[in-house]
Amino acid sequence: MAREELTRLTGNGNGTCGEEDCPNVYVSPTGSIIVQGEVCTTFQPPAGEGLVEIPGAVLREAFRALGW
């Protein structure tokens, strides 16, 4: 899946960080949530999975954008 296929829910200039390298939340064409953030090394997830850390404000912004 290409980045262009995702709908960006956060970081669209409404906060202090609107660049592509900031923590963000996206929704895919199938409705899946994609999260971009700092790599977290708290524990080793199962093969094929990863851990990311994002600020709570980013998650709240995504919830608002989704109407949750």
Side-chain angles (χ1 to χ4, degrees):
M1 171 181 332
R3 180 180 230 156
E4 295 78 29
E5 296 177 70
L6 303 175
T7 300
R8 189 172 174 173
L9 299 177
T10 60
N12 293 310
N14 299 329
T16 59
C17 185
E19 302 299 322
E20 291 182 354
D21 62 346
C22 296
N24 281 298
V25 177
Y26 303 84
V27 65
S28 74
T30 62
S32 295
I33 303 295
I34 310 294
V35 179
Q36 174 186 347
E38 296 288 327
V39 173
C40 178
T41 58
T42 304
F43 65 90
Q44 184 66 39
E49 296 184 5
L51 300 175
V52 298
E53 184 174 351
I54 62 169
V58 173
L59 197 52
R60 286 190 294 276
E61 184 181 350
F63 288 164
R64 282 193 298 275
L66 290 167
W68 293 357

